[in-house]
Amino acid sequence: MTASVLVVDDMEPNRRLLQAKLEAKYYTVFMAADGPHALESALRHEPDIILLDVMMPGMDGDEVCRRLKASAATRHIPVVMLTALTDRDDRLRGLEAGADDFLSKPVDDFGLFARLEALMRYNMVSNELRTRDSAGAREEHFSDFEQESLDKPASVLVIDQNNSEARRVAKSLEAVGHQAATWMDAQASSIRFDEIDIVIIALSDQNHDALKLCAHLRALKEARDFSMIVTCSVADQPKGVEALRIGASDLILTPLDMLELQARVRTQTRRKRFVDILRRRVDRGLELSVIDHLTGLYNRRYMLERLQLWMQRSAVNEKPVSIVAFDIDHFKKVNDRYGHEAGDLVLRNFAARLRTNIRPQDIACRPGGEEFLLIMPDTREELAEVGAERIREAIAAEPFLIERDDEYIKVTVSAGIATYNGEEGLLADFLHAADQALYRAKQNGRNRIETMAA
Ligand SMILES: [Mg+2]
């Protein structure tokens, strides 16, 4: 996935250097040489991430960050401050201003790309949730209850073999209202991972392989929602970078500065709560409005919405979007002969096979009856044909078991493909083109696929 980055620095050589590094990794780069231009560019381009120099004449980086975070239009964009490694006051001021992360100048490639990836992961989740949430989730639309929950104290687990250091960390977090336990203390009682918001793991001076532990914690099913912060010495920074790669969301250098730690825990907590709120809203919204209850696929309403969106994207980025309209052959006979319950079982089984034979980016919908529609983003006609053929085969390969009577029903499906290349055209025309192709598949003997062009 490509992402866009806004680079803000008053020194041209610094801007050029970052631009070259980022473009080499296929990031889209916007640049600004001072605060006012940075604010304007952030508003106009809505970049995915902003790299912001602290020391600038006129409006400095802290002020730019404060203004970005104060505006509803730019608040959600992560800001990474570029600071001198040793300047503790810089960092604290940046965190006060709402910065999401720091990079030391000169910027090393490992640190840069690991942090960008960690932020992109966060962005991807929150953006996808935001587009799925029909209520248009932005912070200013949150209820009072949701707003309050953003700043509720966190439950933190501190993992460090040096238990006195772990206790010191836990104490400093408790001092600002969080609940914190060290691993050793927590083992005395039993840990409930689903109640933990943040895990802090020391990477340096540990007997066990702390990176393996990170990976292991990430893989725990009940624990997948907590944020992981790792700490390490400057000498162990490569380990820290690796930890960011495998899912840690922040890295703090030792010796720990407790004020920095408190500020970063606050940022991570807010971020986690924000995603939690979006996820809850989406779950609730999906239940109510976009899921077809019989099959669990998306319903007609969601289908039309997403299709419209992908057609618009296609018109802008010149990538085709394909749709495949499926219709189960002779479905009426199934209903007539075996009853509606059996008919529903066939629809459900069909949906299950459809779902296991599509790519993650494909969107499977049931607009109604025995009709199904697959939206295939960024997919040209020939590829859509390959995908549709795989599904047709998966359906015809094995008859469907109707458990009630231990009876098997042979089911086949016909499909019509249409591809949109960004030309003038309406959603209704696009759907009609797929229906026409489907009609021809039926005419030509069923259990087959036809394309628009044929
Ligand atoms: Mg500067």
Side-chain angles (χ1 to χ4, degrees):
M1 187 175 73
T2 60
S4 58
V5 179
L6 170 60
V7 174
V8 187
D9 198 306
D10 56 313
M11 306 285 282
E12 181 171 6
N14 291 353
R15 291 197 300 273
R16 297 276 164 226
L17 182 66
L18 276 171
Q19 181 189 28
K21 286 181 183 198
L22 291 165
E23 285 183 348
K25 300 267 186 184
Y26 308 107
Y27 284 91
T28 302
V29 180
F30 306 110
M31 293 198 282
D34 57 43
H37 284 104
L39 294 173
E40 190 192 309
S41 176
L43 202 58
R44 174 143 38 100
H45 300 296
E46 265 202 65
D48 295 302
I49 292 167
I50 299 174
L51 298 181
L52 180 57
D53 182 30
V54 175
M55 297 285 286
M56 292 188 295
M59 194 190 295
D60 70 5
D62 293 331
E63 183 55 28
V64 175
C65 185
R66 231 184 320 274
R67 293 194 190 196
L68 286 168
K69 295 296 177 184
S71 156
T74 52
R75 181 177 298 158
H76 62 282
I77 306 172
V79 174
V80 180
M81 297 283 225
L82 307 174
T83 68
L85 176 64
T86 49
D87 199 336
R88 166 173 183 255
D89 291 344
D90 264 10
R91 294 186 168 224
L92 290 177
R93 267 201 315 276
L95 287 167
E96 288 298 315
D100 294 86
D101 210 335
F102 295 94
L103 280 171
S104 311
K105 288 174 131 183
V107 175
D108 75 286
D109 291 10
F110 274 131
L112 173 65
F113 290 114
R115 274 166 199 275
L116 288 185
E117 276 169 36
L119 285 172
M120 285 305 298
R121 266 203 306 273
Y122 166 72
N123 271 357
M124 226 156 65
V125 172
S126 66
N127 287 343
E128 180 56 26
L129 289 173
R130 210 179 285 139
T131 48
R132 279 197 215 163
D133 182 7
S134 43
R138 285 199 182 237
E139 215 178 308
E140 64 270 22
H141 296 141
F142 284 3
S143 68
D144 290 348
F145 175 76
E146 286 169 331
Q147 276 289 359
E148 271 169 33
S149 80
L150 282 176
D151 285 317
K152 271 207 311 219
S155 162
V156 185
L157 178 66
V158 186
I159 304 180
D160 188 334
Q161 260 166 1
N162 178 346
N163 203 39
S164 70
E165 174 67 4
R167 284 230 172 84
R168 192 171 78 92
V169 169
K171 271 220 178 71
S172 92
L173 293 174
E174 279 168 348
V176 287
H178 300 296
Q179 292 180 331
T182 71
W183 175 263
M184 286 190 199
D185 294 342
Q187 278 181 322
S189 53
S190 61
I191 305 174
R192 296 229 14 217
F193 274 105
D194 55 348
E195 286 174 1
I196 288 174
D197 299 306
I198 311 258
V199 177
I200 299 176
I201 305 174
L203 294 183
S204 297
D205 305 321
Q206 305 298 312
N207 293 330
H208 58 257
D209 185 341
L211 278 178
K212 257 193 200 142
L213 182 62
C214 292
H216 178 68
L217 285 174
R218 259 285 151 265
L220 280 178
K221 193 160 148 278
E222 65 273 37
R224 80 193 151 93
D225 281 343
F226 62 63
S227 301
M228 209 156 60
I229 300 176
V230 294
T231 68
C232 71
S233 62
V234 174
D236 274 336
Q237 227 173 335
K239 262 195 201 172
V241 166
E242 191 55 30
L244 289 173
R245 282 250 154 79
I246 60 181
S249 41
D250 204 357
L251 166 74
I252 312 178
L253 290 179
T254 56
L256 291 177
D257 179 322
M258 290 306 165
L259 284 178
E260 183 184 346
L261 177 77
Q262 288 165 354
R264 284 180 183 268
V265 165
R266 190 176 61 218
T267 304
Q268 290 301 326
T269 305
R270 276 186 74 92
R271 219 184 261 179
K272 174 183 181 294
R273 295 270 154 77
F274 187 76
V275 168
D276 284 349
I277 290 171
L278 289 183
R279 193 168 280 148
R280 267 199 303 276
R281 289 175 146 232
V282 166
D283 287 349
R284 206 170 47 214
L286 282 181
E287 282 301 314
L288 290 178
S289 62
V290 303
I291 296 291
D292 166 54
H293 285 285
L294 180 65
T295 61
L297 301 181
Y298 292 111
N299 65 15
R300 179 177 182 80
R301 179 187 137 178
Y302 187 80
M303 174 189 96
L304 294 175
E305 218 176 270
R306 296 309 278 185
L307 203 48
Q308 188 79 66
L309 181 76
W310 278 107
M311 285 176 79
Q312 281 161 5
R313 285 188 186 163
S314 173
V316 173
N317 66 17
E318 294 173 0
K319 285 181 182 162
V321 50
S322 290
I323 53 176
V324 188
F326 290 97
D327 189 283
I328 298 178
D329 296 328
H330 301 300
F331 184 72
K332 197 173 168 306
K333 280 190 194 157
V334 175
N335 267 340
D336 290 348
R337 181 157 165 213
Y338 301 95
H340 284 282
E341 238 172 88
D344 284 354
L345 266 174
V346 167
L347 292 173
R348 243 188 245 149
N349 282 323
F350 180 91
R353 279 191 208 179
L354 177 63
R355 207 176 310 156
T356 51
N357 282 285
I358 61 177
R359 307 167 303 174
Q361 68 266 40
D362 296 336
I363 303 166
C365 315
R366 178 183 174 230
E370 67 269 31
E371 293 169 25
F372 295 81
L373 190 123
L374 190 62
I375 304 174
M376 304 177 82
D378 295 351
T379 306
R380 55 182 210 278
E381 188 185 83
E382 301 80 43
L383 272 182
E385 221 177 330
V386 173
E389 183 56 29
R390 186 173 56 231
I391 293 159
R392 189 200 59 75
E393 274 172 25
I395 299 300
E398 274 177 69
F400 288 38
L401 174 64
I402 303 301
E403 280 138 12
R404 196 191 39 176
D405 311 325
D406 266 349
E407 196 155 358
Y408 286 95
I409 303 177
K410 185 148 177 47
V411 175
T412 61
V413 70
S414 303
I417 298 174
T419 303
Y420 177 77
N421 289 297
E423 63 275 344
E424 287 284 305
L426 298 172
L427 177 59
D429 298 329
F430 189 26
L431 287 169
H432 183 68
D435 277 342
Q436 289 292 106
L438 172 60
Y439 178 74
R440 268 203 318 283
K442 296 276 185 191
Q443 293 298 104
N444 293 339
R446 295 187 167 81
N447 190 20
R448 58 183 289 134
I449 293 160
E450 296 285 349
T451 60
M452 209 165 43

